Amino acid sequence: MENSILHFITPPIPYFLDCGSAAYVVGDRHINRDRLGVFDLIVVTKGALAIGEKTDLTDHQWELQEREALILRPDAYHYGVTPCIRETEIIWVHFQTFGSWRECKDMKECLECQTELIENHRKNAFLHHCEACSIFIPKHTKLSEMELDILRELSMLDQEPQSIRNWKRQATFQLFIQHLDRDQSTTSDGAAFQIAEKIDLFIRQNYTKSLSNTLLQQKLNYHPNYLARCMLKIYGMTPMEYLTHYRIEQAKKLLLQTDWPVSRISEEIGFNHASYFSTSFIGKEGISPSAYRAKLTGRSR
């Protein structure tokens, strides 16, 4: 079975709920549970654990060895497959997300559905004015020693005073998720991710200026066709399409947070002509900048 990927849209970042450890003697098996309602991360630190997950469409089983991690879905049936044949220990972490997510068979499917998932996320999470992005977490993976150390630190925070324990747990869990996301991204297509991130960073730092494919070629030293292929693969749009997308995202913030006229906002985000800005905004949002402001704030100016 191919290793599937859990594709999360953020913000908000998947958040920590609870964690603990469990030990199994010979003959024990993982408990059966139906629709737990939270994501269940299981990491074997000693021995081996046979576990399965069943949905309406799939039924998969794993034999987890030491340092292997598996994330079980909140909407599935989890069951022990066979009894343990040797003493086994695990760390478990429950987490959840308020945002949109989907399990995909591979990174190609993740990227193909990314735009749709982000748009659904915006509607469900009411994030009309916030930039949304993807987190890619492997469903089944072998952890590095560093990642395992982070999990051990998470489970040891029970010794901290309650007033700071939850803060530290959230921060530690997010660090762990960040490692998994980075590992998945770089192993899937490291070159494309690195180039796309460079383009993304350059556009964010310079979006108010006049940008072009030629300028990107000069700054990043890659042919525009290669830059476009990398951006299309990772973000689903070309560099210039991403530039327009990012400018409009900044415009939405200014429409909600300021009383500036549309013409000034157009200039602030790098559009040379207010009419072109309005046309681009309508093309992406379906309504004019003024109508967008009125819809969310009641102000038409």
Side-chain angles (χ1 to χ4, degrees):
M1 182 189 69
E2 289 187 352
N3 185 26
S4 58
I5 299 168
L6 294 168
H7 183 179
F8 296 91
I9 304 299
T10 181
I13 295 172
Y15 53 88
F16 170 87
L17 291 173
D18 197 9
C19 70
S21 60
Y24 302 83
V25 299
V26 175
D28 284 350
R29 68 172 72 198
H30 188 274
I31 190 171
N32 298 344
R33 294 180 297 200
D34 191 22
R35 295 177 177 85
L36 189 60
V38 296
F39 291 94
D40 189 8
L41 166 68
I42 296 176
V43 180
V44 173
T45 56
K46 176 183 176 181
L49 185 68
I51 191 167
E53 178 183 77
K54 185 175 181 180
T55 68
D56 292 338
L57 301 176
T58 62
D59 189 352
H60 296 312
Q61 298 178 356
W62 297 264
E63 178 77 26
L64 300 181
Q65 304 297 322
E66 289 185 17
R67 282 178 44 196
E68 288 189 341
L70 176 70
I71 299 177
L72 299 171
R73 297 166 56 122
D75 57 352
Y77 175 65
H78 311 155
Y79 59 96
V81 178
T82 56
C84 295
I85 60 174
R86 58 185 184 274
E87 291 185 354
T88 298
E89 297 176 0
I90 68 168
I91 295 174
W92 57 265
V93 178
H94 290 166
F95 68 95
Q96 190 52 282
T97 181
F98 180 71
S100 296
W101 67 277
R102 182 178 298 177
E103 183 174 346
C104 300
K105 64 180 180 180
D106 53 28
M107 185 60 76
K108 182 175 182 292
E109 183 180 338
C110 285
L111 297 175
E112 287 175 348
C113 73
Q114 183 169 228
T115 301
E116 176 191 352
L117 200 58
I118 286 177
E119 288 307 311
N120 289 339
H121 177 82
R122 289 185 183 280
K123 295 174 184 176
N124 295 334
F126 305 103
L127 299 177
H128 302 289
H129 63 288
C130 294
E131 182 182 14
C133 62
S134 294
I135 296 176
F136 305 107
I137 307 298
K139 186 175 182 68
H140 175 217
T141 190
K142 187 164 187 176
L143 301 181
S144 68
E145 283 297 335
M146 178 182 293
E147 290 160 350
L148 196 55
D149 285 344
I150 294 173
L151 271 189
R152 291 192 181 107
E153 179 184 347
L154 184 65
S155 61
M156 290 172 60
L157 287 173
D158 276 337
Q159 311 304 317
E160 295 281 356
Q162 186 179 23
S163 59
I164 62 173
R165 182 168 62 237
N166 285 340
W167 292 105
K168 286 189 174 183
R169 278 177 160 181
Q170 291 291 345
T172 304
F173 174 71
Q174 289 184 12
L175 178 61
F176 177 75
I177 289 292
Q178 181 182 2
H179 274 271
L180 294 185
D181 174 54
R182 178 58 58 182
D183 288 347
Q184 180 63 52
S185 299
T186 55
T187 55
S188 298
D189 193 334
F193 270 95
Q194 289 176 11
I195 296 300
E197 284 191 342
K198 287 181 180 179
I199 297 170
D200 167 63
L201 182 60
F202 184 81
I203 287 175
R204 289 169 181 270
Q205 294 174 340
N206 298 279
Y207 72 95
T208 60
K209 304 173 185 176
S210 178
L211 301 183
S212 66
N213 285 318
T214 301
L215 180 60
L216 285 175
Q217 180 181 17
Q218 293 172 354
K219 295 296 184 180
L220 301 179
N221 201 28
Y222 287 99
H223 193 279
N225 289 345
Y226 180 65
L227 297 177
R229 285 200 302 271
C230 292
M231 284 296 286
L232 281 167
K233 184 165 190 174
I234 306 307
Y235 290 101
M237 58 188 84
T238 67
M240 292 301 101
E241 289 171 341
Y242 185 80
L243 171 62
T244 299
H245 163 81
Y246 188 72
R247 282 173 170 169
I248 289 176
E249 290 302 307
Q250 303 315 301
K252 288 160 67 175
K253 295 179 183 179
L254 294 176
L255 286 166
L256 298 181
Q257 297 169 2
T258 73
D259 290 322
W260 294 349
V262 170
S263 58
R264 179 179 176 182
I265 291 175
S266 173
E267 295 175 2
E268 292 285 339
I269 62 173
F271 280 91
N272 293 326
H273 304 286
S275 59
Y276 179 55
F277 163 58
S278 294
T279 300
S280 299
F281 194 98
I282 292 171
K284 185 174 185 300
E285 299 297 324
I287 57 176
S288 69
S290 297
Y292 177 87
R293 171 181 272 167
K295 177 182 177 182
L296 295 180
T297 69
R299 293 182 285 111
S300 59
R301 178 174 176 270

